[in-house]
Amino acid sequence: MAKKKTKAKKNKKAPFKFPTVIITRKHKVLLGSFLMLLGIALTIAFISFLFNWKYDQDTIGYFTDRNIETKNWLSKFGAEISHFFIYKGFGVASFSLAILTSLTGIYLFFNLNSKSLKNFWFWGILVMIWFSTLFGFFATKNALLGGVIGYETNDFLQDYLGFTGTLLVLIFVMIAYLVIRLNITPELVASYFERTKEEVSQDFEDSKAKEEEILQDFLKKEQEEQTQQTHNVQDNASAEAKDVKTETQETSQESTPAPKPEPKSEKIVIEGNEEEGDVSMEVETTVEEEEEVDTLSKKLVKDFGEFDPTLELQNYRFPTIELLKDYNAGGGGITINQEELEENKNNIVNTLKNYKIEIAQIKATVGPTVTLYEIVPEAGVRISKIKNLEDDIALSLSALGIRIIAPIPGKGTIGIEVPNKNSTIVSMRSVVASAKFQNAEMQLPVALGKTISNETYVVDLAKMPHLLMAGATGQGKSVGLNAVLTSLLYQKHPAEVKFVLVDPKKVELTLFNKIERHYLAKLPNSEEAIITDNTKVINTLNSLCIEMDSRYDLLKDAMVRNIKEYNEKFKARKLNPENGHKYLPYIVLVVDEFADLIMTAGKEVETPIARLAQLARAIGIHLIIATQRPSVNVITGMIKANFPARIAFRVTSKIDSRTILDTGGADQLIGKGDMLYTQGNNLVRLQCAFVDTPEVEKIVDFIGAQKAYPDAHLLPEYEGEESGTGLDIDVSERDKLFREAAEILVTAQQGSASLLQRKLKVGYNRAGRIIDQMEAAGIVGPFEGSKARQVLITDLVALDEFLNNE
């Protein structure tokens, strides 16, 4: 039994002990040098991130992708770690981490006393959190100041303590740091500012003595100059004595002291006729008024600064990029299928060889939805021969529809655009976050999408100056409109741009109702800012014409040529608000379905839109019109001539493509946001940025929750020409087209409202009112059901007598 017990004791395992690590001097040197260099690297990465963070936002999350380039001085490592510590962490206060890391390395490298390191790290992290929370107050203007942690900490404190309470807590923490860490007391501070009366009087006497010495030196120099001048005058006195008598009057006038400088003046000489005894007259006109305005404006700018139109909503925060969804978060951008590229290349080469067309070179550019194959044919091959093989190449590639560009403008190649089998969604987030959009120096920047070469395509709506969009149902027009509006919401303050939204469908633009008092404009006494009634559309368009005319009057008074110069002059306080001058925001008119307006209102809509398109560019009113039926009776020659910028989504026929673009190609698009854009020159194929309805809803909720103006921006009041009841007998209240309509009905001897619609190109409502006014005047008879009204006047002569005798 004893033996068994001894064996059992031997089989028991000893308790595990961690091995003791002996840190030698070599380890400290290696670790210290590593930490010193790591701290320097963090400092370099953080500084670079402050300048290049907007550009590098697109690269975050793609650390393993070697094809993506960054602008950070430490490449992807610098961009990723800076994004983590500064953007998502503590903001610019994260520099303390780099300092603490380098400080730790110095202590280890030089074998200093490491006990004080704990204090450095404790107080350093506390200071970092304090600055991050303080900068959280300004996070809405610059996200890098406080970072996400600083903003959230500040926001958390404000939820429970409010702005004042949070500020008091931060002040207390600062006092605690100064007292505990730096041993600064009120007595110590007061000692720096205590000075005895003797020291003050001594300093005063010293400064007075210096001033007297300077004054005496100046008087000595002045006396020396005067004595030298008197000697020169005495030497020249004899020579000038002879001339004194002959030029007494002139010298007396010249010797008088020079008057103070007077305002500048312009002299106009009117010469008279000597033979008739006329005398020439000199008219002097002063131009001191402009100088007074300039000096007054400079004084106002000096005292109050330039006029800030955003002052009323100075705490307004622009929507954050996190409100938009990243559809390619896990995919890493565009995926290149080498097998598909090789297969398409071989099919193109073989198809052209079958028609005895040799190729010298071929190159592929992969885009989100389309791949562009650029081919260089052998010498002697006619371009038209390749262009005629469009259907044959599409057959060999089994593609949905290809488009041949022969030749590509600016290049000596022929382009064949082939749809990808697996397309990539271009998210609105990737477009908005791009450096090209963030740094765009434009008046109204709009991010449309991405090109075939995967570059963000940004245009300036102010230079378009108007945009025409067309495409079949379900091809992306409404998403395109949302992308345009979203771009402007991310770039422009509510004081800088206003939207007039026309939505005959009544469902597409209703989301923007939530930002009515921020961004929308409407007619006075109008309940809803988004216009769905065609009668209100006519009144709104005419109201915009009135606004246009009044703005041109303001530009004329200000002696400027466009809205940009006018607003700059107003900001510099050179224009007096008492004379009617005011800051002019840009106005963007968006019409979602133009064909419906033309069908119901006709000429009443076309005329003001054509007038706005012709004249409204200089005064900041820009039009965006979308339609799903680009026929010639909807998009007339008058409208096309004033809309050089056009977007064509997929259409059903080549005729529609020529109507909108003046060339083919839109019928060969693949849909789902695939579009062609032109601004009067060559076509650019783009994949429209996709922004879904929930994303738009988040953006408008974010804006709508903030402080707004008391009401939407009010347009000038306009009363329709067809206003009034059907029994108006007063001649002054008759429609402007009353006489012309009466002549049409008398000639046709048929009292029909539909006849007036066709002949006068007016809407049904207006035609019906004209018929009612004619009934009240006695030109046509009463309503007789389905029959046309009876015309009571037989011919035009009798009509003239009747109207003249009224």
Side-chain angles (χ1 to χ4, degrees):
M1 294 293 289
K3 289 181 180 178
K4 288 182 180 178
K5 287 181 180 179
T6 55
K7 286 182 181 179
K9 287 180 181 179
K10 287 181 181 178
N11 289 334
K12 284 184 179 179
K13 292 182 179 180
F16 176 79
K17 292 183 179 180
F18 287 96
T20 57
V21 179
I22 301 173
I23 300 176
T24 63
R25 178 66 184 137
K26 291 180 181 179
H27 294 151
K28 287 187 176 182
V29 171
L30 289 174
L31 184 59
S33 59
F34 171 76
L35 291 176
M36 275 194 297
L37 296 174
L38 178 61
I40 294 170
L42 288 175
T43 305
I44 294 170
F46 290 173
I47 293 171
S48 175
F49 186 75
L50 296 179
F51 298 99
N52 304 315
W53 73 279
K54 290 183 179 179
Y55 177 87
D56 291 341
Q57 284 292 99
D58 290 341
T59 65
I60 301 301
Y62 303 109
F63 188 78
T64 58
D65 194 344
R66 298 178 66 183
N67 295 321
I68 293 177
E69 296 180 355
T70 64
K71 283 193 174 182
N72 196 285
W73 297 338
L74 289 186
S75 192
K76 294 178 187 174
F77 169 77
E80 291 283 345
I81 199 166
S82 302
H83 179 77
F84 178 79
F85 281 113
I86 294 181
Y87 190 84
K88 289 190 173 181
F90 302 95
V92 294
S94 301
F95 277 91
S96 63
L97 289 174
I99 296 169
L100 290 170
T101 304
S102 294
L103 192 63
T104 305
I106 291 170
Y107 269 75
L108 292 174
F109 189 84
F110 294 102
N111 201 20
L112 302 174
N113 185 13
S114 59
K115 290 183 179 179
S116 57
L117 270 179
K118 294 179 181 179
N119 289 333
F120 278 123
W121 274 95
F122 174 78
W123 292 109
I125 291 173
L126 181 67
V127 168
M128 180 178 69
I129 296 172
W130 187 85
F131 273 106
S132 178
T133 307
L134 178 67
F135 291 149
F137 286 115
F138 315 102
T140 54
K141 295 183 179 179
N142 192 335
L144 299 185
L145 288 176
V148 174
I149 293 177
Y151 173 75
E152 293 295 338
T153 306
N154 187 288
D155 194 50
F156 175 82
L157 290 172
Q158 288 199 55
D159 286 342
Y160 290 95
L161 302 174
F163 176 84
T164 308
T166 304
L167 196 61
L168 292 174
V169 168
L170 291 173
I171 292 171
F172 173 75
V173 174
M174 181 186 70
I175 293 171
Y177 177 80
L178 294 174
V179 173
I180 298 172
R181 176 66 175 163
L182 303 178
N183 296 321
I184 295 176
T185 59
E187 292 79 13
L188 186 65
V189 174
S191 65
Y192 285 104
F193 296 97
E194 284 182 353
R195 301 184 69 192
T196 61
K197 293 181 180 180
E198 294 179 357
E199 291 175 335
V200 174
S201 60
Q202 185 65 36
D203 290 343
F204 179 78
E205 290 176 359
D206 293 342
S207 62
K208 191 174 180 181
K210 288 181 180 178
E211 287 179 1
E212 289 178 354
E213 289 178 3
I214 294 169
L215 183 62
Q216 288 176 359
D217 293 339
F218 178 75
L219 291 173
K220 285 180 181 178
K221 290 180 181 179
E222 194 172 304
Q223 287 176 359
E224 290 176 358
E225 290 177 358
Q226 286 180 355
T227 53
Q228 191 172 1
Q229 287 178 1
T230 52
H231 286 302
N232 293 333
V233 170
Q234 289 175 359
D235 293 338
N236 298 327
S238 59
E240 293 177 354
K242 297 178 181 179
D243 299 327
V244 171
K245 294 180 180 179
T246 56
E247 298 178 358
T248 307
Q249 294 179 352
E250 293 179 4
T251 52
S252 62
Q253 291 175 0
E254 292 174 0
S255 61
T256 54
K260 294 181 180 179
E262 295 180 355
K264 293 182 180 179
S265 61
E266 294 178 352
K267 293 183 179 179
I268 304 170
V269 179
I270 304 174
E271 294 183 356
N273 194 340
E274 294 180 1
E275 295 178 0
E276 298 177 359
D278 291 343
V279 182
S280 62
M281 181 175 67
E282 189 178 273
V283 182
E284 186 173 320
T285 59
T286 59
V287 290
E288 62 182 358
E289 188 176 351
E290 292 182 6
E291 292 184 359
E292 288 179 0
V293 171
D294 287 340
T295 54
L296 181 61
S297 64
K298 287 177 182 177
K299 187 177 184 302
L300 288 172
V301 170
K302 185 178 179 181
D303 294 341
F304 304 103
E306 287 194 347
F307 174 77
D308 185 8
T310 65
L311 196 60
E312 192 171 349
L313 296 183
Q314 59 181 347
N315 295 324
Y316 174 80
R317 293 185 296 164
F318 285 93
T320 59
I321 199 169
E322 283 75 17
L323 299 173
L324 296 170
K325 186 178 178 182
D326 189 3
Y327 292 91
N328 300 317
I334 295 174
T335 55
I336 300 175
N337 191 339
Q338 294 292 347
E339 294 179 1
E340 182 183 345
L341 292 176
E342 193 68 26
E343 183 183 352
N344 288 341
K345 184 199 81 171
N346 294 332
N347 288 334
I348 292 171
V349 173
N350 294 332
T351 303
L352 294 176
K353 275 185 179 178
N354 292 337
Y355 294 93
K356 298 180 181 180
I357 298 173
E358 296 294 330
I359 297 175
Q361 186 182 352
I362 187 166
K363 173 189 171 185
T365 304
V366 183
T369 55
V370 175
T371 300
L372 173 66
Y373 294 89
E374 295 183 51
I375 61 173
V376 180
E378 292 285 356
V381 177
R382 299 182 66 181
I383 292 176
S384 60
K385 195 174 181 181
I386 298 175
K387 204 165 186 179
N388 292 332
L389 298 175
E390 191 171 323
D391 295 333
D392 300 286
I393 296 172
L395 179 64
S396 67
L397 296 173
S398 302
L400 181 64
I402 69 167
R403 178 170 167 263
I404 294 180
I405 312 167
I408 297 177
K411 296 183 179 180
T413 58
I414 296 170
I416 302 175
E417 294 176 347
V418 182
N420 298 334
K421 290 181 181 178
N422 297 317
S423 60
T424 305
I425 296 176
V426 175
S427 64
M428 194 70 202
R429 175 171 181 156
S430 64
V431 172
V432 169
S434 64
K436 197 168 185 181
F437 179 73
Q438 293 289 340
N439 302 326
E441 295 181 358
M442 301 177 179
Q443 299 301 312
L444 295 173
V446 174
L448 293 178
K450 292 194 175 182
T451 61
I452 290 177
S453 57
N454 202 34
E455 293 179 0
T456 303
Y457 198 81
V458 183
V459 293
D460 191 358
L461 181 60
K463 291 183 179 178
M464 284 185 183
H466 311 294
L467 179 62
L468 186 62
M469 301 172 68
T473 303
Q475 302 305 318
K477 291 189 310 302
S478 297
V479 174
L481 285 177
N482 284 337
V484 172
L485 294 173
T486 302
S487 301
L488 295 174
L489 291 178
Y490 267 91
Q491 283 280 12
K492 307 306 289 183
H493 191 274
E496 297 173 322
V497 65
K498 301 294 178 184
F499 301 119
V500 178
L501 303 181
V502 178
D503 184 15
K505 297 180 185 176
K506 303 181 181 180
V507 293
E508 293 293 344
L509 301 175
T510 49
L511 286 174
F512 295 95
N513 258 328
K514 297 177 183 177
I515 58 172
E516 175 183 337
R517 293 188 295 125
H518 290 88
Y519 280 100
L520 300 190
K522 66 178 183 179
L523 290 171
N525 303 322
S526 179
E527 295 180 2
E528 294 184 358
I530 297 177
I531 306 153
T532 55
D533 186 9
N534 290 338
T535 307
K536 291 182 179 178
V537 174
I538 298 167
N539 294 343
T540 303
L541 292 174
N542 286 290
S543 174
L544 283 174
C545 291
I546 297 171
E547 174 75 12
M548 177 182 71
D549 294 334
S550 65
R551 286 192 173 197
Y552 267 116
D553 291 337
L554 292 176
L555 262 63
K556 178 185 174 184
D557 293 340
M559 291 182 289
V560 292
R561 296 180 60 187
N562 53 52
I563 188 173
K564 183 181 177 183
E565 295 175 3
Y566 178 88
N567 283 337
E568 286 176 355
K569 206 168 184 179
F570 187 81
K571 285 180 181 179
R573 302 186 183 273
K574 294 182 179 179
L575 301 175
N576 192 348
E578 294 181 359
N579 297 333
H581 292 289
K582 58 184 178 180
Y583 182 83
L584 300 179
Y586 287 91
I587 297 177
V588 179
L589 170 66
V590 180
V591 181
D592 190 22
E593 187 46 68
F594 186 61
D596 185 64
L597 291 181
I598 293 293
M599 288 174 63
T600 54
K603 196 174 182 180
E604 291 179 280
V605 167
E606 184 184 349
T607 302
I609 279 188
R611 188 160 180 262
L612 287 169
Q614 288 169 352
L615 298 173
R617 172 182 182 174
I619 44 85
I621 299 178
H622 303 280
L623 280 59
I624 301 175
I625 291 176
T627 180
Q628 62 183 359
R629 202 184 74 190
S631 54
V632 290
N633 60 338
V634 175
I635 304 174
T636 60
M638 178 74 76
I639 291 175
K640 282 179 67 176
N642 295 293
F643 283 79
R646 300 171 202 166
I647 289 176
F649 293 91
R650 191 183 180 207
V651 293
T652 53
S653 67
K654 289 184 178 180
I655 297 172
D656 289 344
S657 176
R658 290 193 186 97
T659 304
I660 181 69
L661 294 175
D662 296 327
T663 183
D667 55 314
Q668 296 164 336
L669 299 174
I670 62 174
K672 294 183 179 179
D674 190 18
M675 69 182 192
L676 291 172
Y677 170 76
T678 178
Q679 199 169 351
N681 38 27
N682 56 334
L683 292 175
V684 180
R685 190 166 186 173
L686 304 170
Q687 177 62 36
C688 182
F690 179 69
V691 52
D692 205 0
T693 305
E695 297 175 70
V696 178
E697 196 168 359
K698 286 181 183 177
I699 294 169
V700 296
D701 285 341
F702 181 85
I703 297 172
Q706 300 184 53
K707 179 185 175 183
Y709 294 106
D711 197 4
H713 182 77
L714 296 180
L715 298 172
E717 193 169 356
Y718 175 81
E719 294 183 359
E721 294 173 350
E722 66 274 12
S723 62
T725 62
L727 298 176
D728 286 339
I729 303 174
D730 191 356
V731 178
S732 62
E733 294 184 1
R734 286 178 181 171
D735 196 283
K736 290 182 178 180
L737 299 176
F738 180 84
R739 190 181 189 95
E740 186 178 351
E743 292 175 355
I744 291 171
L745 296 189
V746 170
T747 303
Q749 286 295 303
Q750 182 183 357
S752 170
S754 59
L755 177 64
L756 293 181
Q757 279 185 270
R758 293 194 303 273
K759 295 291 185 180
L760 297 176
K761 295 181 180 180
V762 296
Y764 177 78
N765 293 335
R766 189 174 181 184
R769 290 194 180 278
I770 293 174
I771 290 289
D772 292 339
Q773 291 173 3
M774 287 188 185
E775 180 188 354
I779 297 175
V780 296
F783 179 68
E784 298 180 7
S786 59
K787 294 182 181 179
R789 295 174 185 252
Q790 182 183 359
V791 180
L792 304 177
I793 295 178
T794 55
D795 54 19
L796 295 177
V797 177
L799 177 65
D800 288 336
E801 291 179 1
F802 177 81
L803 295 176
N804 292 332
N805 292 330
E806 281 188 330

